[in-house]
């Protein structure tokens, strides 16, 4: 195993720290879509890219794109696009964010190219390091604006979304002179795109439990979000006998526990009731209505579908036994995203060689890789973060863990190059 260049590692750590200070709010890290803070970040990357021998561009959706045209690439002819391997993650943040969620993946991508060049590697494909402009959805409450545009799947309906100041997404996209309709008409995945790698913090506790710095993602979990609406009958809290009530909240409470019980009994299932609303919501009135949200996830589509179907039957019986009406409204049904076996195999082999183990993890959270999987094979490497804490200023990654992530990523690209068709 070749050692990493200490200067490249030092630059990676310094850049993570520096981007952690580039914010649109004083005293805390917040960087949203099309913000001045994002433009300042891009300007820093432009300097770093030039020093590293990469071209730098920002696309109409504000995605940062750093291209390394390897001398090992030979196009068959002028009309054949060079094959392109993308290493990316996002540069936007939530409000009052940590400094690793997203930017660590982009900066490690840049460091990876620097390391490949320092090793004298010349892979038979170009490498593009991409910093997506919006993954968190802070400004328009819709995630993946950046990667959706990059993949050429940005839906026109999003142009009507409004931010807190009342500006539409279409107006924001048009603000650099090209009308949004033209920006969208021109969107398409890059020519030659043949693979995507994303390094990201784990945002969970498994790597800490495994005592490993990095792990390889097997799939991004399928996710269903629903609203359950219970309809009962209001009544006086003092005069209505207990056996004559139709209390919507009591039925909802039983459902909350049934959801938990099913998730605990089903391997791989995660189910959460995160919100509940009661009407009329008075201390001396029997609840006539209750509405709760259900977020339910599993690495496999079929297992998630079966769990949801079973819960529909079970919750209907629980409500029925109390004389309560129950209606399910599905808000979102996202399919599982399996990672590519070939790319993941390179990450696993590299992790095994560098740390003696290659834990396999399911990602319960969504990532840009899920969107990019619509246009090319994808794989993800997770890096351990302290207490699994993210979306918080105390988010932390040990420098040694970030270094191992860089080493595994660089080794995996070398392995991919060696096996490239
Ligand atoms: Zn993220």
């Amino acid at each position: 195993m070749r050692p990493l260049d200490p200067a490249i590692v030092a630059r990676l750590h310094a850049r993570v720290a520096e981007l952690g200070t580039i914010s649109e709010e004083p005293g805390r890290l917040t960087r949203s879509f099309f913000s001045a803070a994002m433009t300042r970040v891009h300007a820093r990357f432009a300097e770093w890219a030039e020093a590293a021998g990469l071209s730098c561009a920002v696309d109409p959706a504000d995605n940062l794109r750093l291209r390394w045209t390897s001398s090992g690439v030979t196009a068959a002819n002028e009309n054949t696009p060079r094959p392109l391997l993308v290493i990316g993650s996002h540069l936007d943040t939530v409000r009052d964010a940590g400094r690793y969620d997203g930017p660590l993946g982009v900066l490690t991508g840049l460091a990876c190219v620097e390391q490949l060049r320092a090793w004298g590697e010349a892979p038979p494909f170009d490498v593009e390091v991409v910093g997506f402009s919006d993954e968190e959805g802070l400004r328009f409450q819709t995630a993946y604006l950046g990667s959706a545009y990059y993949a050429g799947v940005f839906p026109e309906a999003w142009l009507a979304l409004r931010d807190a100041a009342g500006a539409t997404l279409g107006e924001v996209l048009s603000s650099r002179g090209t009308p949004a309709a033209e920006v969208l008409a021109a969107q398409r995945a890059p020519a030659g795109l043949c693979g995507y790698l994303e390094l990201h913090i784990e945002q969970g506790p498994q790597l800490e439990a495994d005592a490993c710095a990095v792990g390889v993602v097997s799939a991004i979990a399928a996710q269903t979000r629903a609203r359950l609406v219970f309809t009962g009958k209001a009544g006086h809290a003092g005069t209505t006998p207990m056996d004559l009530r139709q209390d919507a909240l009591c039925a909802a409470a039983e459902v909350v526990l049934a959801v938990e019980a099913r998730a605990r009994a089903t391997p791989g299932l995660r189910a959460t009731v995160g919100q509940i609303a009661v009407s009329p919501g008075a201390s001396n009135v029997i609840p006539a209505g209750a509405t709760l949200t259900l977020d339910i996830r599993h690495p496999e589509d079929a297992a998630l579908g079966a769990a949801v179907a079973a819960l529909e039957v079970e919750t209907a019986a629980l409500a029925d036994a109390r004389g309560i009406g129950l209606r399910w409204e599905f808000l979102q049904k996202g399919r599982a995203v399996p990672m590519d076996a070939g790319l993941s195999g390179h990450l696993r082999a590299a992790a095994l060689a560098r740390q003696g183990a290659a834990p396999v993890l399911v990602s319960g959270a969504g990532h840009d890789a899920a969107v990019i999987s619509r246009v090319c094979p994808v794989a993800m490497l997770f890096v351990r973060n302290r207490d699994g804490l993210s979306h918080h200023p105390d988010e932390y990654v040990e420098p040694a863990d970030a270094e191992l992530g860089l080493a595994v990523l660089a080794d995996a690209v070398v392995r991919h190059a060696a096996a490239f068709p």
Side-chain angles (χ1 to χ4, degrees):
M1 277 173 296
R2 286 174 292 184
L4 296 175
D5 181 333
I8 292 171
V9 171
R11 278 203 296 273
L12 171 61
H13 296 319
R15 288 166 179 174
V16 169
E18 182 180 345
L19 292 199
T21 66
I22 302 180
S23 172
E24 65 198 56
E25 293 187 304
R28 57 183 187 173
L29 176 58
T30 303
R31 213 161 44 227
S32 63
F33 184 65
F34 259 78
S35 61
M38 188 68 86
T39 301
R40 295 208 300 282
V41 165
H42 291 167
R44 290 299 282 145
F45 268 103
E47 293 167 32
W48 300 333
E50 189 184 10
L54 284 73
S55 68
C56 175
V58 174
D59 75 16
D62 221 25
N63 294 311
L64 175 79
R65 301 168 66 156
L66 312 176
R67 178 75 75 116
W68 176 36
T69 303
S70 159
S71 58
V73 178
T74 46
N77 62 59
E78 299 253 310
N79 299 320
T80 309
R82 295 160 175 273
L84 177 67
L85 177 72
V86 175
I87 304 174
S89 196
H90 59 96
L91 289 170
D92 68 313
T93 72
V94 296
R95 192 173 302 287
D96 199 11
R99 59 175 60 162
Y100 301 92
D101 177 353
L104 181 66
V106 186
L107 288 166
T108 306
L110 174 56
C112 177
V113 170
E114 291 177 329
Q115 185 60 70
L116 294 172
R117 298 196 69 181
W119 283 342
E121 293 290 335
F125 41 76
D126 284 3
V127 178
E128 188 160 82
V129 177
V130 179
F132 294 114
S133 54
D134 179 285
E135 191 271 346
E136 303 286 9
L138 178 62
R139 183 164 179 183
F140 287 98
Q141 313 299 316
T142 297
Y144 311 120
L145 299 182
S147 45
Y149 183 83
Y150 189 86
V153 298
F154 191 107
E156 200 183 333
W158 284 358
L159 296 181
L161 296 171
R162 283 184 192 279
D163 69 9
T168 67
L169 180 46
E171 287 161 0
V172 170
L173 278 184
S174 305
S175 64
R176 292 186 183 150
T178 308
E182 279 180 43
V183 168
L184 244 55
Q187 65 166 340
R188 60 183 52 84
L193 181 61
C194 63
Y196 173 84
L197 294 172
E198 180 167 359
L199 176 147
H200 200 281
I201 59 168
E202 182 198 354
Q203 302 173 279
Q206 193 187 320
L207 287 172
E208 280 192 333
D210 292 346
C212 283
V214 300
V216 181
V217 176
S218 58
I220 295 173
Q223 179 186 12
T224 290
R225 285 171 51 204
R227 191 185 292 130
L228 277 63
V229 182
F230 299 81
T231 309
K233 202 170 169 191
H236 193 290
T239 61
T240 313
M242 294 309 290
D243 58 349
L244 294 180
R245 297 184 178 205
Q246 288 167 270
D247 186 324
L249 180 57
C250 287
E254 286 199 88
V255 164
V256 171
L257 296 178
V259 164
E260 185 199 33
R262 180 159 297 273
R264 291 179 80 115
T266 311
L269 192 68
R270 306 262 164 84
T272 305
V273 175
Q275 281 184 320
I276 189 158
V278 180
S279 65
S283 63
N284 60 351
V285 180
I286 297 163
T291 300
L292 59 80
T293 59
L294 175 63
D295 176 313
I296 181 166
R297 309 182 192 210
H298 193 281
E300 289 164 26
D301 291 322
L304 178 61
V308 171
L311 276 174
E312 285 184 278
V313 172
E314 188 178 355
T315 56
L318 288 171
D320 208 39
R322 289 177 169 274
I324 301 293
L326 171 57
R327 185 174 80 251
W328 281 58
E329 296 171 356
F330 287 97
L331 307 172
Q332 181 192 329
K333 286 185 176 179
R335 297 180 67 81
V337 180
M339 299 292 109
D340 178 65
L343 289 171
S344 297
H346 298 315
L347 288 171
R348 270 202 308 280
L352 200 57
R354 290 268 182 185
Q355 83 178 348
V360 174
L361 299 88
V362 172
S363 177
H367 292 288
D368 291 302
V371 176
I372 302 299
S373 74
R374 294 170 65 174
V375 289
C376 75
V378 303
M380 289 192 74
L381 182 69
F382 273 175
V383 178
R384 171 171 58 190
N385 68 301
R386 189 171 62 199
D387 298 333
L389 180 70
S390 69
H391 290 189
H392 190 282
D394 291 341
E395 183 181 284
Y396 182 71
V397 174
E398 290 287 347
D401 290 2
E403 285 172 45
L404 195 73
L406 167 59
V408 168
L409 188 65
D411 287 355
V413 175
V414 172
R415 286 171 185 272
H416 185 52
F420 201 72

